[in-house]
Coordinates of all heavy atoms in Angstrom, one line a residue:
M686 N -56.0 69.1 -26.0 CA -56.3 67.7 -25.9 C -56.6 67.4 -24.4 O -55.8 67.8 -23.5 CB -55.1 66.9 -26.4 CG -55.3 65.4 -26.3 SD -53.9 64.5 -26.9 CE -52.7 64.7 -25.5
T687 N -57.7 66.8 -24.2 CA -58.1 66.4 -22.8 C -58.1 64.9 -22.7 O -58.7 64.2 -23.5 CB -59.5 66.9 -22.5 OG1 -59.5 68.4 -22.7 CG2 -59.8 66.6 -21.0
R688 N -57.3 64.4 -21.7 CA -57.2 62.9 -21.5 C -58.0 62.4 -20.3 O -58.0 63.0 -19.3 CB -55.7 62.6 -21.3 CG -54.8 63.1 -22.5 CD -53.4 62.6 -22.3 NE -52.8 63.1 -21.1 CZ -51.5 62.9 -20.7 NH1 -50.7 62.1 -21.5 NH2 -51.0 63.4 -19.6
A689 N -58.7 61.3 -20.6 CA -59.5 60.7 -19.5 C -59.0 59.3 -19.3 O -58.7 58.5 -20.2 CB -61.0 60.7 -19.9
L690 N -59.0 59.0 -18.0 CA -58.7 57.6 -17.6 C -60.0 57.0 -17.0 O -60.5 57.6 -16.0 CB -57.6 57.6 -16.6 CG -57.0 56.3 -16.1 CD1 -56.3 55.5 -17.3 CD2 -55.9 56.5 -15.0
V691 N -60.5 56.0 -17.6 CA -61.8 55.4 -17.2 C -61.4 54.1 -16.5 O -60.8 53.2 -17.1 CB -62.7 55.1 -18.4 CG1 -64.0 54.4 -17.9 CG2 -63.1 56.5 -19.0
L715 N -45.0 56.0 -19.3 CA -46.2 56.7 -19.6 C -46.7 57.4 -18.4 O -46.8 56.9 -17.3 CB -47.3 55.7 -20.1 CG -47.0 55.0 -21.4 CD1 -48.1 53.9 -21.7 CD2 -46.9 55.9 -22.5
D716 N -47.1 58.7 -18.5 CA -47.6 59.5 -17.4 C -49.1 59.2 -17.1 O -49.9 60.2 -17.1 CB -47.3 61.0 -17.6 CG -48.0 61.6 -18.8 OD1 -48.3 60.8 -19.8 OD2 -48.2 62.8 -18.9
V717 N -49.4 58.0 -16.9 CA -50.8 57.6 -16.6 C -51.3 58.2 -15.3 O -52.6 58.2 -15.1 CB -51.0 56.1 -16.7 CG1 -50.9 55.6 -18.1 CG2 -50.0 55.4 -15.7
D718 N -50.4 58.7 -14.5 CA -50.9 59.3 -13.3 C -51.1 60.8 -13.4 O -51.3 61.5 -12.4 CB -49.8 59.1 -12.2 CG -48.4 59.6 -12.6 OD1 -48.2 60.0 -13.8 OD2 -47.5 59.7 -11.7
A719 N -51.2 61.3 -14.7 CA -51.5 62.7 -14.9 C -52.6 62.9 -15.9 O -52.5 63.6 -16.9 CB -50.2 63.4 -15.4
P720 N -53.8 62.3 -15.7 CA -54.9 62.5 -16.6 C -55.6 63.9 -16.3 O -55.3 64.5 -15.2 CB -55.9 61.4 -16.2 CG -55.6 61.1 -14.8 CD -54.1 61.4 -14.6
D721 N -56.5 64.3 -17.2 CA -57.3 65.5 -16.9 C -58.6 65.1 -16.2 O -59.1 65.9 -15.3 CB -57.6 66.2 -18.2 CG -56.3 66.7 -18.9 OD1 -55.6 67.5 -18.4 OD2 -56.1 66.1 -20.0
V722 N -59.1 63.9 -16.5 CA -60.3 63.4 -15.9 C -60.2 62.0 -15.6 O -59.5 61.2 -16.3 CB -61.5 63.6 -17.0 CG1 -62.8 63.0 -16.4 CG2 -61.7 65.1 -17.3
R885 N -59.0 62.0 -25.7 CA -58.2 60.8 -25.6 C -58.8 60.0 -24.4 O -58.8 60.6 -23.3 CB -56.7 61.1 -25.4 CG -56.1 62.0 -26.5 CD -55.9 61.2 -27.8 NE -55.3 62.0 -28.8 CZ -54.0 62.0 -29.1 NH1 -53.2 61.2 -28.3 NH2 -53.4 62.8 -30.0
V886 N -59.1 58.8 -24.5 CA -59.7 58.0 -23.5 C -59.0 56.6 -23.4 O -59.0 55.9 -24.3 CB -61.2 57.8 -23.7 CG1 -61.8 57.0 -22.5 CG2 -61.9 59.1 -23.8
V887 N -58.5 56.3 -22.2 CA -57.9 55.0 -21.9 C -58.8 54.4 -20.9 O -59.1 54.9 -19.8 CB -56.5 55.1 -21.4 CG1 -56.0 53.7 -20.9 CG2 -55.5 55.6 -22.5
R914 N -60.1 59.4 -29.6 CA -59.2 58.2 -29.7 C -59.2 57.5 -28.4 O -59.1 58.1 -27.3 CB -57.8 58.7 -30.1 CG -57.7 59.3 -31.5 CD -56.3 59.9 -31.7 NE -55.2 59.0 -31.6 CZ -53.9 59.3 -31.8 NH1 -53.6 60.6 -32.1 NH2 -53.0 58.4 -31.6
V916 N -58.7 53.5 -26.2 CA -58.2 52.1 -26.2 C -58.8 51.5 -24.9 O -58.9 52.1 -23.9 CB -56.6 52.0 -26.1 CG1 -56.1 52.7 -24.9 CG2 -56.1 50.6 -26.2
R954 N -47.6 49.9 -25.7 CA -47.6 50.5 -27.1 C -49.0 51.0 -27.5 O -49.2 52.2 -27.9 CB -47.1 49.6 -28.1 CG -47.0 50.2 -29.5 CD -46.4 49.3 -30.5 NE -45.0 49.0 -30.2 CZ -44.1 48.3 -30.9 NH1 -44.6 47.7 -32.0 NH2 -42.9 48.2 -30.6
A955 N -50.0 50.2 -27.2 CA -51.4 50.6 -27.6 C -51.9 51.7 -26.7 O -52.5 52.7 -27.2 CB -52.3 49.4 -27.4
V956 N -51.5 51.7 -25.5 CA -51.9 52.9 -24.6 C -51.2 54.1 -25.0 O -51.8 55.2 -25.0 CB -51.6 52.5 -23.1 CG1 -51.9 53.7 -22.2 CG2 -52.5 51.3 -22.7
A957 N -49.9 54.0 -25.3 CA -49.1 55.2 -25.7 C -49.7 55.8 -26.9 O -49.7 57.1 -27.1 CB -47.6 54.8 -25.9
A958 N -50.2 55.0 -27.9 CA -50.7 55.6 -29.1 C -51.9 56.5 -28.8 O -52.2 57.4 -29.6 CB -51.2 54.4 -30.0
V959 N -52.6 56.3 -27.7 CA -53.7 57.2 -27.4 C -53.3 58.2 -26.4 O -53.7 59.4 -26.5 CB -54.9 56.3 -26.7 CG1 -56.0 57.2 -26.1 CG2 -55.5 55.4 -27.8
W960 N -52.5 57.9 -25.4 CA -52.2 58.7 -24.3 C -51.1 59.8 -24.6 O -51.1 60.9 -24.0 CB -51.7 57.9 -23.1 CG -51.8 58.5 -21.8 CD1 -50.8 58.9 -21.0 CD2 -53.0 58.8 -21.1 NE1 -51.3 59.5 -19.8 CE2 -52.6 59.4 -19.9 CE3 -54.4 58.7 -21.3 CZ2 -53.6 59.9 -18.9 CZ3 -55.3 59.1 -20.4 CH2 -54.9 59.7 -19.2
D961 N -50.1 59.4 -25.4 CA -49.0 60.3 -25.7 C -49.5 61.6 -26.3 O -50.1 61.6 -27.4 CB -48.0 59.6 -26.5 CG -46.7 60.4 -26.6 OD1 -46.6 61.6 -26.4 OD2 -45.6 59.7 -26.9
R962 N -49.2 62.7 -25.7 CA -49.7 64.0 -26.3 C -49.0 64.4 -27.6 O -49.5 65.2 -28.3 CB -49.4 65.1 -25.2 CG -50.2 65.0 -24.0 CD -50.0 66.3 -23.1 NE -50.7 66.2 -21.8 CZ -52.0 66.5 -21.6 NH1 -52.7 66.9 -22.6 NH2 -52.5 66.4 -20.4
N963 N -47.9 63.7 -27.9 CA -47.1 64.0 -29.1 C -47.6 63.2 -30.3 O -47.0 63.3 -31.4 CB -45.7 63.8 -28.9 CG -45.1 64.7 -27.9 OD1 -45.4 65.9 -27.8 ND2 -44.2 64.2 -27.0
R964 N -48.6 62.4 -30.1 CA -49.1 61.5 -31.2 C -50.5 62.0 -31.7 O -51.2 62.6 -31.0 CB -49.2 60.1 -30.8 CG -47.8 59.5 -30.4 CD -47.9 58.0 -30.2 NE -46.7 57.5 -29.7 CZ -46.4 56.2 -29.6 NH1 -47.2 55.3 -30.2 NH2 -45.2 55.8 -29.1

Side-chain angles (χ1 to χ4, degrees):
M686 182 179 74
T687 304
R688 302 185 299 182
L690 189 60
V691 175
L715 297 176
D716 61 337
V717 288
D718 56 348
D721 299 296
V722 175
R885 305 287 184 95
V886 181
V887 171
R914 292 171 61 177
V916 62
R954 180 175 295 182
V956 173
V959 171
W960 198 252
D961 192 337
R962 293 187 184 276
N963 298 319
R964 300 193 186 190

